[in-house]
Amino acid sequence: MNLPNKLTLLRILLVPVFMVLAGLSQYGTPDFSAGLYLAAGLVFAAASFTDFLDGYLARKWGMVTDFGKFADPLADKLLTTVAFLYMLRDGVCSPVVLAVIVAREFAVSGLRMIAAGAPGGKVIAANIWGKAKTVLQMLTIILYYLSAALASPASIGGVMLMAWALCWLVALVTALSGARYLWDNRQFINTAK
């Protein structure tokens, strides 16, 4: 297994670490722990950096693999969906936003499976819209966790408003990227048996 794929697997392994840290505290409640949210934000940021690094190294060293094309987006989906679930719990993300994110990911993953099973078995890599969506999602999550950890107790309303607005922006970009992905690969939908 090459280094880019190992970085992808590391990102997957960091998901439960993030879950534990984010799950032990809840923003805006008396048991909130800024230290746990700071640690969760830093773990998420480190995992997000592996997303950039694995793709960069795979392209630079000519190590792009079918495994990486499938596992990299899966690792991103796991990481971001878990984080948005905790943001939903915290009351800074609407269930509609999460539904848009999950629906887009199921639709794109389904299309990838159809393409892989088509004659000739095509592996569809992420496009620029999907990458922009992922970057915006990751930046929103990092900004929320770090802001929540570092803001004063009097700033709770501002942090929640900022996160709420960013989540809706994420929903818009996620929906647009999904529509574009489906449109660009519609030939696989038309040929599916």
Side-chain angles (χ1 to χ4, degrees), residues 15-167:
V15 172
V17 175
F18 170 82
M19 288 174 64
V20 168
L21 293 169
L24 290 174
S25 184
Q26 184 173 356
Y27 191 61
T29 64
D31 68 336
F32 172 67
S33 167
L36 287 172
Y37 263 43
L38 180 61
L42 292 174
V43 166
F44 189 93
S48 297
F49 181 69
T50 68
D51 182 39
F52 160 76
L53 191 58
D54 67 7
Y56 173 78
L57 293 176
R59 286 185 298 277
K60 181 178 179 182
W61 294 341
M63 294 181 166
V64 175
T65 63
D66 286 347
F67 173 82
K69 288 179 187 177
F70 277 112
D72 182 65
L74 175 64
D76 297 342
K77 289 170 182 45
L78 286 170
L79 184 64
T80 57
T81 302
V82 164
F84 280 113
L85 280 169
Y86 281 108
M87 291 172 71
L88 177 68
R89 177 208 60 182
D90 288 356
V92 299
C93 182
S94 167
V96 174
V97 170
L98 188 57
V100 168
I101 292 168
V102 171
R104 186 259 186 215
E105 301 310 348
F106 274 115
V108 168
S109 295
L111 182 60
R112 281 189 171 134
M113 287 190 286
I114 290 170
K122 181 165 173 34
V123 175
I124 304 172
N127 63 21
I128 191 68
W129 286 91
K131 291 176 193 271
K133 176 262 318 171
T134 300
V135 168
L136 181 59
Q137 287 179 350
M138 289 179 172
L139 288 176
T140 296
I141 294 161
I142 292 167
L143 188 58
Y144 168 66
Y145 278 92
L146 296 183
S147 296
L150 301 174
S152 68
S155 303
I156 289 176
V159 170
M160 294 181 96
L161 181 63
M162 175 217 47
W164 189 262
L166 285 172
C167 282

